[in-house]
Amino acid sequence: MSAKDNFFKVKHLYNRAGFGISYSDLQKLSKKNIEKIVAGLLKEPKVDDSITLVNGMESKRQMLVQSGLYAKKDLNNEEKKMRQEIVRMQNEVSKDLNIAWVNKMIGTTSPLREKMTLFWHGHFACRSNDPLYAQQLNNIQRTNGLGSFKTLLIEVSKSPAMLQYLNNQQNRKGKPNENFARELMELFTLGRGNYTENDIKESARSFTGWMYDKDGTFIFRQNLHDEAPKTFFGKTGNFDGENIIDLILEKPETATFIARKIYKFFVNDQPNEEHVKELGNHFYASNYQISELIKKMFTADWFYSAENVGTKIKSPVEFLVGLSREFYVTYNKPQILIQLQSSLGQYLFNPPNVAGWPGGQSWIDSSSLMLRMRIPSLVLNDGEIDFSGKADPEDEAVIALNRNATANANNKAKPKSYVNANADWPKFIGTLPKGISPLELSEFLLQPKLNEKIVKMVSDNKGLRSTAVEITSMPEYQLG
């Protein structure tokens, strides 16, 4: 294979397995074979890279317990104000957590690890109004995201965020709550058609007593667990939650379901069922080792086929993180990252529902495409952005970021905000080879092959900076 062919293969790999790659790193890696590069991507970090922004004392639950307002029903005015202030503080901490994760993705030296965390964040979609629980679940997905799927599944199932979100805290003997049991099979493991309503009922009984205590630690309450025999997938026994998970994993359909979802996220929105089956079989045979599935996918010839290159619409987070990494962007008012996510339709830690973000074509409509195409020039040239008509006024994440509040007050119909970001142009230009042409730079920045219109546009004598801004502002830059 020619060095140029390998150059484009590695570029595609890093675009999908991470959030892009610098030109200088790409040139170095192009001399290696794909197997070695994939092995490098799969390497575990040497230090624990969990997010530790939120500690226990900052959690709303702790504050409310300490203030005595946790379970109180009739509050006087002063208590109401106190409760509102605690909730407001929690919302601020939740926003800080969101920004901390975006910055982690922008700055990470383990891009595949963060990309997998992003995948599992959408797969095990969950909302928690307690930032400590949200952080805990995010770290579970990061720690186990490339390890054993069984361990990941058990840890997610025991997390306070998920137990709370899917009502397993209310699941007790004699009064089973089926919400978690249903989503466990429908969305997290098997998919519809591979279980019965009776399996859901019996699974729910098996998860009775799976709860968390006031400190947010998983606890199995034996006295609330239904110890009578259950029949699940035709087998009868005194099952608990972990037995149910084992029985679910015994079904090859689970491996295929996860393989298909990973294929759609990393390869193509339209799954090739032959390739999905190949991945699913390998995943099942590896005893559900996620890294084995990922390695098989990234080293397959078909992963690099033309129909899989430059054909996926970047999610809002992939787009923002990729742009910020590529041009070494610093956000002087990081809260703008919250507003951009919200306006583009992927506000982290707040999926639309338990099914997560639909992805694919749903990322783009006429107004979000216009906003996406304007963002690069604003981020890279520090401009003003108009959010009118995009943001949900009820979303607490939508915050006003105005450099000139008075001017904005006179123009209420069009709330505007300054991105207030700095791209490190000297650093970006320094990663490029000397004498690189605008055409070669365009080939590097875009995943799809250059069409005649782009070739003509960049062949006019433009500088590298103006070429970069123009190229990133094109619809083709939205494809990864």
Side-chain angles (χ1 to χ4, degrees):
M1 180 183 294
S2 73
K4 187 151 189 184
D5 284 344
N6 213 38
F7 179 92
F8 288 111
K9 276 181 82 168
V10 177
K11 183 161 82 92
H12 171 61
L13 172 64
Y14 264 77
N15 192 63
R16 295 290 176 83
F19 305 94
I21 185 171
S22 72
Y23 204 112
S24 50
D25 286 346
L26 179 53
Q27 279 188 311
K28 280 180 215 151
L29 285 175
S30 295
K31 294 166 185 157
K32 292 186 176 183
N33 68 36
I34 289 295
E35 283 76 13
K36 276 191 181 162
I37 298 168
V38 171
L41 278 165
L42 285 163
K43 256 190 189 166
E44 288 288 310
K46 287 178 180 155
V47 292
D48 176 27
D49 60 348
S50 299
I51 293 179
T52 55
L53 176 87
V54 191
N55 64 44
M57 294 307 292
E58 284 175 316
S59 88
K60 182 176 74 177
R61 168 185 32 74
Q62 285 281 6
M63 290 179 184
L64 291 175
V65 167
Q66 285 158 7
S67 64
L69 304 178
Y70 188 64
K72 196 171 177 184
K73 292 278 188 277
D74 299 314
L75 304 175
N76 62 36
N77 284 342
E78 197 171 320
E79 288 170 330
K80 276 181 189 167
K81 276 185 187 169
M82 194 173 174
R83 193 166 180 162
Q84 281 169 349
E85 177 59 15
I86 290 168
V87 171
R88 188 195 66 74
M89 285 168 68
Q90 284 313 292
N91 289 336
E92 288 304 312
V93 176
S94 291
K95 289 171 191 171
D96 290 344
L97 175 63
N98 178 302
I99 292 164
W101 186 21
V102 175
N103 281 330
K104 190 173 185 61
M105 286 188 268
I106 292 170
T108 186
T109 53
S110 304
L112 176 57
R113 194 170 169 86
E114 289 309 312
K115 194 72 170 272
M116 284 307 301
T117 308
L118 184 62
F119 168 76
W120 294 120
H121 183 72
H123 179 76
F124 294 113
C126 180
R127 282 187 179 196
S128 175
N129 59 8
D130 189 321
L132 180 66
Y133 295 169
Q135 175 180 277
Q136 200 179 32
L137 181 57
N138 186 254
N139 283 329
I140 285 168
Q141 291 162 353
R142 178 173 295 103
T143 304
N144 302 289
L146 284 162
S148 156
F149 179 66
K150 177 181 174 176
T151 305
L152 173 64
L153 187 56
I154 290 171
E155 291 293 310
V156 167
S157 302
K158 287 182 172 179
S159 69
M162 194 60 81
L163 289 168
Q164 182 186 60
Y165 185 53
L166 294 181
N167 313 113
N168 213 77
Q169 193 75 345
Q170 288 81 47
N171 187 15
R172 55 201 65 210
K173 179 170 58 181
K175 279 192 170 180
N177 184 304
E178 296 174 6
N179 202 7
F180 173 74
R182 181 180 299 279
E183 306 306 1
L184 173 67
M185 288 189 279
E186 181 181 326
L187 295 173
F188 299 163
T189 56
L190 280 162
R192 284 184 186 171
N194 292 305
Y195 55 87
T196 65
E197 282 298 308
N198 194 61
D199 289 328
I200 293 169
K201 287 182 180 5
E202 298 292 270
S203 171
R205 289 177 55 217
S206 304
F207 281 100
T208 49
W210 276 42
M211 297 177 182
Y212 58 92
D213 65 16
K214 66 180 193 304
D215 296 322
T217 307
F218 173 78
I219 187 165
F220 176 61
R221 298 198 189 279
Q222 188 81 47
N223 60 321
L224 298 178
H225 178 66
D226 184 341
E227 291 184 332
K230 301 110 184 161
T231 301
F232 182 72
F233 293 160
K235 294 181 180 176
T236 302
N238 178 17
F239 300 137
D240 65 13
E242 290 203 28
N243 300 140
I244 295 295
I245 285 171
D246 282 339
L247 289 167
I248 287 171
L249 295 177
E250 277 179 19
K251 283 186 169 278
E253 291 86 349
T254 298
T256 305
F257 180 81
I258 299 299
R260 184 179 296 109
K261 203 141 179 211
I262 281 179
Y263 185 99
K264 286 174 78 172
F265 184 87
F266 285 99
V267 185
N268 200 307
D269 293 323
Q270 306 303 320
N272 176 315
E273 287 303 326
E274 195 181 310
H275 298 157
V276 167
K277 199 166 190 317
E278 181 190 328
L279 292 178
N281 290 343
H282 187 75
F283 191 35
Y284 191 73
S286 77
N287 200 20
Y288 289 94
Q289 287 302 310
I290 301 161
S291 59
E292 283 297 317
L293 167 58
I294 296 298
K295 189 175 13 174
K296 179 83 172 167
M297 176 174 65
F298 289 152
T299 54
D301 288 343
W302 47 255
F303 178 75
Y304 302 92
S305 297
E307 67 268 20
N308 295 327
V309 177
T311 51
K312 266 186 73 66
I313 297 167
K314 294 174 188 172
S315 71
V317 170
E318 288 169 326
F319 164 57
L320 292 171
V321 169
L323 182 73
S324 305
R325 278 176 75 92
E326 187 122 62
F327 294 95
Y328 309 97
V329 176
T330 307
Y331 293 90
N332 302 314
K333 288 187 175 177
Q335 304 97 312
I336 192 73
L337 290 165
I338 298 268
Q339 199 163 359
L340 289 170
Q341 286 172 60
S342 185
S343 299
L344 292 172
Q346 191 184 22
Y347 178 30
L348 293 175
F349 297 102
N350 280 273
N353 51 51
V354 69
W357 294 275
Q361 295 287 336
S362 74
W363 290 132
I364 297 278
D365 58 31
S366 54
S367 56
S368 64
L369 180 59
M370 292 307 291
L371 180 58
R372 277 178 177 241
M373 287 166 64
R374 288 182 61 216
I375 285 169
S377 64
L378 296 170
V379 167
L380 303 179
N381 281 336
D382 190 21
E384 188 183 34
I385 192 163
D386 179 355
F387 285 107
S388 58
K390 278 307 298 169
D392 179 353
E394 290 180 8
D395 193 333
E396 288 177 358
V398 180
I399 49 181
L401 294 171
N402 304 307
R403 191 175 283 172
N404 188 332
T406 316
N408 199 55
N410 298 330
N411 188 16
K412 283 183 182 172
K414 287 196 168 188
K416 289 187 178 179
S417 169
Y418 285 86
V419 173
N420 197 357
N422 298 108
D424 191 336
W425 283 103
K427 191 170 182 181
F428 171 71
I429 300 291
T431 63
L432 304 175
K434 280 183 181 160
I436 187 174
S437 69
L439 191 63
E440 288 168 320
L441 176 60
S442 304
E443 265 191 328
F444 165 67
L445 290 173
L446 291 182
Q447 290 305 113
K449 284 203 166 153
L450 303 192
N451 58 37
E452 275 181 42
K453 181 187 82 174
I454 297 171
V455 171
K456 189 170 185 306
M457 186 188 85
V458 297
S459 52
D460 302 335
N461 287 325
K462 287 190 177 75
L464 295 178
R465 178 168 171 166
S466 57
T467 298
V469 173
E470 263 191 49
I471 289 295
T472 53
S473 302
M474 301 192 75
E476 287 83 356
Y477 187 74
Q478 301 305 322
L479 295 169

